[in-house]
Amino acid sequence: MEAADIILFSSIALTQLTFLGIPYVINESNAKYYLAGYNTLSEEDRENYDLKGYLVFQKKFLTFYSLITAFIFINTYLIFVVSTALIIYVIALLIPLPYFMVQGNKFKHLKT
């Protein structure tokens, strides 16, 4: 394995570990500081937000997201040249994000 491959795999691993680690770092007690969007809500809006439900959704999504995109990268790396594998990996990272945003917005209004 060349030095470039080691750097590439280290970068991918760090990215995937970050996605896996986020749900374990952000919890109900520190979400008002770290959770984008939630940290800018007023106290009244935070009371109407289903934070527990969102955190469960986020944990499931990011775990699946991390494992699937890592799997996609490893398989495409073995099948294609490195540049093609990276392009496919980036596309695999980008495609699920609109789904994450739309589904995440469903937790905004718990009480009406």
Side-chain angles (χ1 to χ4, degrees):
M1 195 175 235
E2 295 180 24
D5 289 336
I6 293 171
I7 293 170
L8 175 64
F9 274 94
S10 298
S11 301
I12 300 292
L14 181 63
T15 303
Q16 300 313 111
L17 289 173
T18 301
F19 290 136
L20 280 175
I22 288 171
Y24 296 98
V25 172
I26 298 176
N27 54 45
E28 287 183 66
S29 63
N30 65 16
K32 65 181 175 183
Y33 303 111
Y34 298 123
L35 193 58
Y38 184 76
N39 60 3
T40 60
L41 293 176
S42 67
E43 213 40 60
E44 180 183 324
D45 289 337
R46 284 185 190 159
E47 291 174 8
N48 293 329
Y49 195 86
D50 182 12
L51 183 59
K52 285 184 182 184
Y54 178 77
L55 292 174
V56 168
F57 164 72
Q58 180 189 42
K59 185 174 187 177
K60 288 179 185 178
F61 178 86
L62 289 178
T63 300
F64 186 72
Y65 182 66
S66 177
L67 297 174
I68 291 298
T69 53
F71 178 77
I72 288 170
F73 174 73
I74 291 168
N75 283 324
T76 55
Y77 178 83
L78 295 173
I79 296 171
F80 302 108
V81 295
V82 175
S83 59
T84 303
L86 281 173
I87 291 169
I88 293 171
Y89 172 70
V90 169
I91 291 169
L93 286 174
L94 294 175
I95 287 175
L97 293 180
Y99 170 80
F100 181 65
M101 293 184 330
V102 169
Q103 291 300 107
N105 283 333
K106 293 182 178 181
F107 297 93
K108 280 187 177 179
H109 301 289
L110 176 64
K111 304 171 192 168
T112 54

